[in-house]
Amino acid sequence: MRRGRGRRRRSGRSALCGASGLRLYGACDAARRDAASGDGLARWSWGDRRRTLKLTLAPGDWTDSALIAGGADSWEAAEGFWLTRPWLRTEGCPGVQGDPLAGGPVAPSPQTVGLAAVFDQDGPRTGRRNGRAYEYVVRGEGDQPPPAPSGGYRLVLEGRMAAFADGRAIRCRAAGPDQRPVCIGAVRLDRVAFEDASGKLLSEWRGG
């Protein structure tokens, strides 16, 4: 499952077939003060006196979600990641252009596309985060602070699609007929990594 945030597929196999990876420009936005812990979104934030910059991603606990419940008898836990802005077709973080006709700040759309890393009851525990965030601290050269990330950072997720009890890899559910459905894909996650905008590896975590 290796694609850009805009769903443009890079080299490798399809995101829905076998082992592959998904590359997201998931840390485009600075963390807000009201950002919820464990919301499944990648962000960056300045450290003390802006001397460092920290990338964070805290997977959500989706074990009891209606989209995950009854997924498979062997599943014991599910940790979730949102795929933000799935409608874009760009290879980088989206540019912001002001609209003189807009009446004020526009609220972001609710998240509607995600991946759930599923874990079996008798499987290894090493890949589970159990509420712990993936974190990496970016430091500047010498005594200089790191520059603001104009191009954002990449979040890389690698693994294989898993199957729900009905054999499908993706489930969708809508709160009502006038609501956009939320779709979740089940995955066996093998690797999580942060990269800079040029693709340089910053840090990685491997399961199992």
Side-chain angles (χ1 to χ4, degrees):
M1 3 172 241
R2 181 163 302 202
R3 289 184 284 176
R5 164 173 277 189
R7 307 300 162 268
R8 185 177 300 171
R9 185 159 57 92
R10 292 177 175 265
S11 60
R13 297 165 63 183
S14 166
L16 302 181
C17 179
S20 53
L22 180 67
R23 177 174 280 105
L24 309 170
Y25 285 84
C28 291
D29 307 316
R32 305 187 312 271
R33 290 178 180 267
D34 62 345
S37 175
D39 61 0
L41 293 171
R43 294 188 177 90
W44 64 269
S45 60
W46 288 110
D48 182 45
R49 294 185 295 177
R50 297 170 71 98
R51 305 298 295 180
T52 60
L53 188 153
K54 184 166 71 172
L55 307 178
T56 59
L57 169 63
D61 183 1
W62 292 0
T63 305
D64 296 326
S65 166
L67 277 167
I68 302 299
D73 293 338
S74 62
W75 294 355
E76 183 180 49
E79 298 180 346
F81 307 82
W82 288 113
L83 310 187
T84 58
R85 304 181 181 99
W87 55 85
L88 295 183
R89 297 186 60 83
T90 60
E91 283 289 326
C93 290
V96 179
Q97 296 181 348
D99 185 351
L101 299 181
V106 179
S109 297
Q111 304 298 333
T112 57
V113 180
L115 295 176
V118 296
F119 302 92
D120 292 331
Q121 298 175 3
D122 57 354
R125 307 280 170 167
T126 53
R128 301 190 190 187
R129 300 305 294 174
N130 296 320
R132 294 175 292 118
Y134 299 96
E135 296 182 346
Y136 178 76
V137 176
V138 180
R139 305 182 188 278
E141 296 290 338
D143 295 332
Q144 297 299 314
S150 59
Y153 293 95
R154 295 175 179 176
L155 168 66
V156 180
L157 304 176
E158 293 183 353
R160 301 167 304 282
M161 300 303 293
F164 288 93
D166 60 3
R168 298 182 180 181
I170 297 175
R171 273 185 173 179
C172 296
R173 181 186 180 94
D178 298 322
Q179 298 294 319
R180 181 178 299 177
V182 175
C183 295
I184 302 297
V187 299
R188 302 287 186 179
L189 197 60
D190 297 323
R191 177 176 176 261
V192 176
F194 286 127
E195 297 177 348
D196 66 13
S198 69
K200 177 184 176 181
L201 177 65
L202 300 176
S203 186
E204 67 177 357
W205 297 261
R206 293 183 180 271

